[in-house]
């Protein structure tokens, strides 16, 4: 095995070049391929107002449509399970004396069929093989993923950039309070750190943002187009979306990627703004993506799909519906959409679809029964979902084994390459190994996870407060303290789940980005580890100090005195901390 070089300071981690991509073998899901090919005729017959005429004009891959469709049909015929015939023949001895009409077997048309519709009777994903039984009655709500007791009255930030929200100050090595929050007596329910921006969600459902308004990233009041702001300003979705309150309700959840953001409403709609990129630059294959650069737009309407949770990677969005289905949106070149192995030729309608139908990620078991999910996570260039039976399924970029899926074949190829190298010196693993379909992440086991985050490594917290990590360990990103230097061939990567046992006691949450991680506990204390390139760990490390923090180190600040941390969000160059004032009774205890 050849370890890579340590992380270099980057403003926003970009996906590796994908010219020589090798696709990691995953289990094919025939029904999913079938869905991808069969949805096209339906959409052409009844086009979606968000994605038909203009999309066809702009989709530069349309010329390859017929060939691609032919390939998909061949895959379908090859991999599809045997289909039941519409008619069956009964033995004469088993049937009563029939009349010609009675000899016809029942086709199912005369009885009510079970479908995947939710309890509200609204639209849902196309009918699938019966999934009742253990998952019967699954109903999720955004409230299942929000801790209402974690409302804070102080926001702190550290790192570099205007996204810190400190007017006139763009660097802070330790968490520093954001004045506007307390000056305006805001109550904050969520903080989100994006690649070049920051977001706050108040308890009365207002959105505030600051940072670089890079093609619509910060469409806040008073912020110029292609400008920037170092002070939090309000984003009023009602100004951009007609009948916002009546049709969509109020914002209850936020998430952010490199240069885009998304909001979930209590009615289940999803609104997004900003720009998406892939390995070639900006993604401009759909009119809605152009519109996102100009203003916030509805990408999923609750009348079509009711969404209960959203999670963003660098340039894609993962969504979990109220009835346990996965939907993905945006860039899929690294397999993070989970719907096709043809990541280089994804049609625009499978990246963006206002109805949501073409965004559905269908996962089935060995009996072709659809699997339902109770939680979803996304970061970097991957997506992970937790099934109702606590099985982790993951898909996306897996070049360091961070997704927990089988990696043996990749190791064999790597060893062969290392043996062929003349000098045998450590080399960067530049291969782009993709898991293109939802695959069981065996290395994560059957634990109940409450948090999962990271890019080239993944950190996860269980409901029992244990913290585990897997993937690239250069700069001691996993917090184990085992990595020595760039010549360390043994500890630069871990392909099995490692317990981060240097943390004191149980943790209640974690956040991670490129080579850096932070975890916190119920008592309101936080620890950081990895490579503190920009001060994002909040440890007070100066420019001329060693940047690598090998094991979890406590985060402290004068601005945290008398406050407890309730949540943290880290990005490549900065972090946001949400804290609440400690009551006197808590101090006494």
């Amino acid at each position: 095995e050849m370890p890579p070089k340590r992380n270099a300071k980057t403003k926003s981690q970009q996906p590796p070049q994908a010219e020589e991509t090798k696709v990691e073998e995953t289990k094919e899901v025939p029904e999913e391929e079938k869905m991808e090919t069969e949805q096209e005729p339906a959409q052409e017959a009844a086009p979606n107002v968000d994605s038909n005429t203009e999309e066809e004009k702009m989709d530069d891959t349309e010329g390859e449509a017929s060939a691609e469709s032919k390939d998909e049909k061949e895959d379908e015929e090859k991999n599809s399970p045997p289909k039941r015939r519409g008619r069956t023949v009964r033995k004469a001895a088993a049937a009563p004396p029939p009349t010609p009409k009675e000899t016809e077997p029942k086709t199912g048309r005369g009885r009510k069929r079970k479908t995947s519709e939710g309890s509200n009777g609204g639209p849902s994903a196309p009918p699938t093989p019966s999934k009742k039984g253990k998952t019967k009655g699954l109903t999720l709500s955004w409230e299942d993923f929000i801790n209402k007791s974690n409302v804070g009255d102080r926001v702190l930030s550290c790192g570099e950039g205007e996204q810190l929200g400190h007017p006139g100050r763009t660097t802070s090595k330790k968490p520093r309070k954001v004045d506007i929050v307390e000056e305006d007596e805001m109550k904050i329910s969520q903080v989100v750190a994006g690649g070049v921006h920051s977001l706050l969600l108040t308890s009365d459902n207002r959105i505030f943002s600051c940072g670089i308004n890079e093609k619509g990233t910060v469409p806040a009041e008073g912020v110029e187009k292609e400008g920037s702001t170092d002070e939090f300003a309000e984003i009023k979705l009602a100004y951009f979306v007609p009948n916002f309150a009546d049709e969509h309700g109020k914002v209850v959840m936020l998430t952010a990627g490199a240069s885009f953001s998304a909001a979930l409403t209590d009615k289940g709609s999803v609104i997004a703004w900003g720009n998406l990129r892939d390995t070639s630059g900006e993604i401009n294959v759909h009119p809605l993506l152009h519109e996102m650069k100009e203003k916030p737009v509805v990408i999923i309407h609750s009348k079509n799909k009711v969404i209960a949770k959203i999670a963003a990677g660098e340039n894609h969005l993962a969504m979990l519906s109220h009835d346990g289905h996965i939907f993905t949106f945006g860039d899929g070149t690294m397999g993070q959409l989970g719907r096709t192995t043809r990541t280089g030729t994804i049609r625009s309608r499978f990246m963006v679809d206002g109805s949501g139908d073409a965004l559905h990620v269908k996962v089935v078991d060995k009996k072709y029964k659809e699997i339902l999910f109770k939680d979803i996570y996304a970061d970097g260039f991957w997506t992970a979902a937790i099934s109702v039976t606590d099985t982790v399924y993951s898909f996306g970029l897996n070049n360091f084994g961070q997704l927990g899926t089988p990696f043996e074949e990749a190791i064999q190829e790597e060893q062969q390459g290392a043996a062929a190298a003349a000098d045998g010196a450590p080399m960067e693993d530049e291969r782009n190994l993709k898991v293109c379909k939802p695959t069981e992440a065996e290395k994560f086991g059957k634990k109940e996870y409450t948090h999962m985050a990271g890019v080239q490594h993944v950190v996860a917290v269980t409901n029992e407060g244990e913290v585990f990590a897997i993937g690239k360990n250069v700069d001691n990103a996993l917090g184990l303290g085992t990595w020595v230097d760039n010549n360390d061939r043994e500890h630069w990567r871990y392909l099995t789940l490692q317990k981060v046992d240097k943390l004191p006691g149980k943790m209640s949450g974690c956040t991670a980005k490129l080579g850096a991680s932070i975890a916190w506990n119920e008592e309101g204390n936080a620890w950081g580890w990895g490579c503190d390139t920009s001060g994002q760990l909040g440890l007070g490390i100066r420019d001329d100090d060693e940047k690598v923090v090998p094991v979890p180190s406590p985060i402290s600040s004068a601005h945290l005195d008398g406050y407890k941390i309730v949540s943290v969000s880290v990005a490549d160059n900065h972090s946001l901390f949400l804290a609440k004032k400690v009551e006197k009774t808590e101090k006494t205890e």
Side-chain angles (χ1 to χ4, degrees):
E1 296 179 2
M2 309 305 294
K5 299 177 183 178
R6 60 186 295 177
N7 292 321
K9 177 177 176 181
T10 58
K11 183 171 182 179
S12 178
Q13 173 70 3
Q14 294 297 323
Q17 293 300 317
E19 283 88 4
E20 297 181 1
T21 297
K22 293 186 180 181
V23 180
E24 184 174 349
E25 291 296 328
T26 60
K27 293 182 179 180
E28 288 290 327
V29 183
E31 290 289 335
E32 249 180 271
E33 289 284 64
K34 181 178 178 181
M35 169 188 166
E36 184 172 320
T37 56
E38 290 186 351
Q39 278 181 340
E40 287 188 41
Q43 289 182 343
E44 292 173 4
N48 183 329
V49 294
D50 291 331
S51 59
N52 61 350
T53 306
E54 289 297 321
E55 173 200 275
E56 293 176 359
K57 293 179 181 179
M58 301 183 64
D59 189 353
D60 56 7
T61 64
E62 196 68 27
E64 303 173 5
S66 58
E68 181 181 336
S69 177
K70 182 178 179 180
D71 289 342
E72 292 172 352
K73 289 180 179 179
E74 290 176 356
D75 287 348
E76 175 191 343
E77 292 172 359
K78 182 178 179 180
N79 298 318
S80 295
K83 297 182 179 179
R84 293 184 59 186
R85 296 180 179 274
R87 299 172 62 91
T88 59
V89 179
R90 297 183 179 181
K91 294 181 179 180
T99 63
K101 196 170 186 178
E102 291 175 339
T103 57
E104 293 289 334
K106 292 184 179 180
T107 62
R109 295 192 181 190
R111 61 185 181 218
K112 187 175 180 180
R113 295 184 62 182
K114 296 181 180 180
T115 70
S116 57
E117 290 185 2
S119 58
N120 63 353
S124 62
T128 61
S130 175
K131 59 181 184 303
K132 303 297 181 180
K134 290 185 179 180
T135 58
K136 183 177 181 180
L138 177 65
T139 302
L140 300 171
S141 166
W142 61 269
E143 295 179 293
D144 297 329
F145 307 103
I146 299 293
N147 187 343
K148 294 183 178 180
S149 66
N150 281 348
V151 174
D153 45 23
R154 173 166 287 191
V155 173
L156 308 95
S157 62
C158 60
E160 295 180 356
E162 292 168 295
Q163 60 267 35
L164 296 184
H166 304 310
R169 185 185 186 113
T170 57
T171 61
S172 181
K173 300 302 182 183
K174 284 199 169 190
R176 182 183 182 88
K177 72 174 181 178
V178 176
D179 293 331
I180 191 174
V181 172
E182 289 164 58
E183 289 172 358
D184 292 358
E185 298 182 346
M186 297 180 185
K187 299 296 181 184
I188 307 298
S189 60
Q190 188 183 10
V191 296
V192 179
V196 296
H197 60 300
S198 296
L199 295 164
L200 307 179
L201 178 62
T202 68
S203 59
D204 57 353
N205 313 104
R206 294 186 296 160
I207 305 171
F208 289 82
S209 183
C210 68
I212 301 174
N213 190 23
E214 184 180 74
K215 299 189 183 302
T217 307
V218 186
E221 286 185 312
V223 182
E224 295 182 2
K225 188 175 182 179
E226 300 304 316
S228 63
T229 178
D230 57 9
E231 185 173 4
F232 281 97
E234 187 171 2
I235 297 175
K236 296 184 176 179
L237 296 185
Y239 176 79
F240 302 103
V241 181
N243 302 317
F244 179 76
D246 292 338
E247 284 196 34
H248 307 288
K250 56 189 179 182
V251 176
V252 294
M253 189 183 298
L254 297 174
T255 190
S259 300
F260 85 101
S261 304
L264 173 68
T265 70
D266 60 341
K267 291 187 177 181
S269 294
V270 180
I271 296 87
W273 58 93
N275 67 95
L276 303 179
R277 301 173 183 273
D278 60 14
T279 54
S280 302
E282 290 184 27
I283 304 175
N284 295 308
V285 298
H286 194 285
L288 188 145
L289 297 178
H290 284 275
E291 194 176 355
M292 278 176 56
K293 300 177 192 177
E294 302 297 326
K295 63 178 183 178
V297 296
V298 178
I299 63 171
I300 293 289
H301 197 300
S302 58
K303 69 182 180 182
N304 296 322
K305 299 287 181 292
V306 178
I307 303 301
K309 184 181 178 181
I310 55 176
E314 288 285 290
N315 292 287
H316 77 288
L317 181 67
M319 298 167 278
L320 181 65
S321 68
H322 76 292
D323 51 357
H325 297 281
I326 304 170
F327 297 86
T328 52
F329 167 95
D331 175 36
T333 54
M334 294 296 151
Q336 62 267 55
L337 297 185
R339 288 192 299 276
T340 177
T341 58
R342 297 176 177 84
T343 56
T345 56
I346 302 175
R347 300 277 205 86
S348 62
R349 63 172 59 93
F350 295 120
M351 300 166 65
V352 181
D353 175 29
S355 73
D357 291 338
L359 305 183
H360 182 213
V361 182
K362 187 176 180 182
V363 188
V364 297
D365 62 18
K366 294 179 180 179
K367 296 182 179 180
Y368 300 100
K369 291 183 179 180
E370 186 165 11
I371 297 170
L372 298 186
F373 296 87
K374 63 179 183 178
D375 208 346
I376 196 165
Y377 301 97
D379 213 338
F381 312 101
W382 56 266
T383 305
I386 314 296
S387 76
V388 293
T389 58
D390 290 325
T391 300
V392 179
Y393 288 80
S394 59
F395 44 97
L397 186 60
N398 190 41
N399 53 347
F400 295 100
Q402 65 268 41
L403 300 190
T405 55
F407 204 69
E408 288 72 18
E409 182 177 341
I411 293 298
Q412 292 176 2
E413 294 177 358
E414 182 179 278
Q415 291 173 343
Q416 292 170 1
D423 55 6
M427 299 180 297
E428 176 74 30
D429 184 357
E430 297 180 348
R431 296 166 302 143
N432 299 331
L433 298 172
K434 305 174 185 178
V435 178
C436 295
K437 295 289 186 71
T439 303
E440 184 174 343
E442 301 170 353
K443 307 299 172 61
F444 281 94
K446 290 277 190 176
K447 304 179 188 297
E448 189 171 339
Y449 294 99
T450 62
H451 294 74
M452 294 181 76
V455 181
Q456 296 176 341
H457 76 295
V458 172
V459 180
V461 178
T462 70
N463 63 335
E464 296 180 351
E466 294 180 304
V467 180
F468 295 91
I470 188 173
K472 186 178 179 181
N473 189 45
V474 172
D475 295 333
N476 280 298
L478 304 190
L480 306 176
T482 56
W483 182 80
V484 179
D485 54 31
N486 289 332
N487 295 313
D488 190 341
R489 303 185 180 190
E490 182 180 356
H491 305 107
W492 72 276
R493 177 185 63 191
Y494 286 84
L495 300 177
T496 57
L497 211 59
Q498 303 294 309
K499 185 175 181 180
V500 185
D501 55 9
K502 305 292 185 182
L503 285 164
K506 297 181 178 180
M507 297 292 118
S508 57
C510 73
T511 180
K513 225 51 174 188
L514 183 66
S517 306
I518 296 175
W520 62 94
N521 62 13
E522 287 291 344
E523 289 72 34
N525 302 308
W527 292 261
W529 66 90
C531 192
D532 191 31
T533 55
S534 306
Q536 71 269 40
L537 291 180
L539 297 172
I541 298 176
R542 300 183 181 278
D543 292 337
D544 56 350
D545 292 339
E546 172 58 49
K547 301 293 186 182
V548 175
V549 182
V551 296
S553 180
I555 298 172
S556 63
S557 168
H559 291 207
L560 281 170
D561 291 347
Y563 286 81
K564 59 183 293 186
I565 296 169
V566 295
S567 69
V568 188
S569 178
V570 65
D572 288 340
N573 296 298
H574 76 295
S575 292
L576 296 177
F577 295 75
L578 178 60
K580 62 191 298 186
K581 196 167 187 178
V582 179
E583 301 297 334
K584 291 183 178 180
T585 54
E586 293 183 68
K587 288 184 179 180
T588 303
E589 293 174 359

